[in-house]
Amino acid sequence: MAIFKGAGVAIITPFHEDGSVNYEKLGELIEFQIANKTDAIIICGTTGEASTLTHEEHLECIKYTIDKVAKRVPVVAGTGSNCTETAIYLSQEAEKYGADALLVVTPYYNKATQKGLIAHYTAVADSVKLPIIMYNVPSRTGCNIQPETAVALAKNVENIVAIKEATGNISQVAKLMQLADGCIDVYSGNDDQIVPILSLGGLGVISVLSNVAPEETHNIVELYMNGRVKESAQLQLRALPLIDQLFCEVNPIPVKAAVNLMGMEVGPLRMPMTEIEEAHKESLKKAMEEFGINVK
């Protein structure tokens, strides 16, 4: 059974001005998402600035989210690391807290061979009982899960059940789907490729766009799943200018600026992320307004 179908938000982590995690604001963001049809909450991913959270903050964000969501939608905890032992530790803790699933990114910086990826994911999966979504984002990690590797893991490791595909390479996704023959669930990791990946049999998206347009992102998937493909595609295309602006600088710089422009006061970024350039901020604001988002 799928972890979720639809649009799961890769939720940002709000900070106070002093840089500490703002848990009260995180709670507000979670309520906003659930009220606007988000199908799952993905906490402590790339968009959540997990790489600059301490282990203690990382785990506290996961625990807070699980408790706040209270089983209303699935909570997927980002527990990946470039150190296998750290990924195991974070995954086991998230399981204890009651996460519904784990999102485990490929090792970054030190990277891994395909053999290394199989060993890494198998070790993490064997340490827990939770279903695991592999996260394939070579642009950030320098490491690509080849379709053959993903299928081998899904067929040989019981709780490796899905992959977040953020290669941007639709041909690779097509090959994965052909080789998998239904043995692995696929989620788009790119907001501009939701409909293309759905057309190949994907189940939805793990989305940055959902931070600012949760209902519309949910609707792209729901319309497609309900056979209203043309309307789904139209909404996908209408969102493209906004999606482009949400990636005008490295994620999550623009999306955090966007949520602040909505008046949600989610605070600054942690270095080495820096605040959005003023020209980009104006372009982002214009795209948000044209999409129908109320900017304060």
Side-chain angles (χ1 to χ4, degrees), residues 6-7 36-37 39 194 198 213-226 228 231-233 235-236:
N36 286 278
K37 298 187 178 179
D39 299 289
I194 303 171
L198 290 174
E215 186 168 359
E216 291 86 350
T217 314
H218 163 89
N219 288 344
I220 290 172
V221 182
E222 184 175 67
L223 286 165
Y224 191 96
M225 295 292 194
N226 289 339
R228 296 161 68 181
E231 291 167 79
S232 171
L235 186 51
Q236 166 85 88

Side-chain angles (χ1 to χ4, degrees), residues 174-253:
K175 185 176 182 183
L176 170 63
M177 288 298 209
Q178 182 260 321
L179 292 174
D181 194 26
C183 78
I184 191 167
D185 294 333
V186 177
Y187 298 99
S188 177
N190 296 83
D191 285 306
D192 60 353
Q193 292 186 339
I194 303 171
V195 170
I197 286 179
L198 290 174
S199 76
L200 291 168
L203 295 186
V205 60
I206 295 177
S207 171
V208 175
L209 176 65
S210 284
N211 280 282
V212 296
E215 186 168 359
E216 291 86 350
T217 314
H218 163 89
N219 288 344
I220 290 172
V221 182
E222 184 175 67
L223 286 165
Y224 191 96
M225 295 292 194
N226 289 339
R228 296 161 68 181
V229 174
K230 186 174 181 180
E231 291 167 79
S232 171
Q234 286 172 338
L235 186 51
Q236 166 85 88
L237 295 174
R238 189 167 76 82
L240 284 181
L242 174 56
I243 294 165
D244 287 344
Q245 291 306 311
L246 288 172
F247 292 90
C248 67
E249 293 185 31
V250 68
N251 180 47
I253 291 172

Side-chain angles (χ1 to χ4, degrees), residues 7 20 23-24 54 73 96 101-102 111 115 123 146 168 171 174 179 197 213 231 236 242 258 291:
S20 60
Y23 292 103
E24 182 180 354
T54 66
V73 296
K96 289 176 191 173
L102 306 174
K111 305 192 288 187
K115 178 182 174 182
Q146 295 294 340
S171 296
L179 292 174
I197 286 179
E231 291 167 79
Q236 166 85 88
L242 174 56
F291 193 69

Side-chain angles (χ1 to χ4, degrees), residues 26 77 79 97 107 112 115 151 155 159-160 194 196 201 204 221 232 252 257:
L26 177 58
T79 56
Y97 298 152
K115 178 182 174 182
V151 170
K155 286 186 174 178
N159 55 331
I160 293 179
I194 303 171
V221 182
S232 171

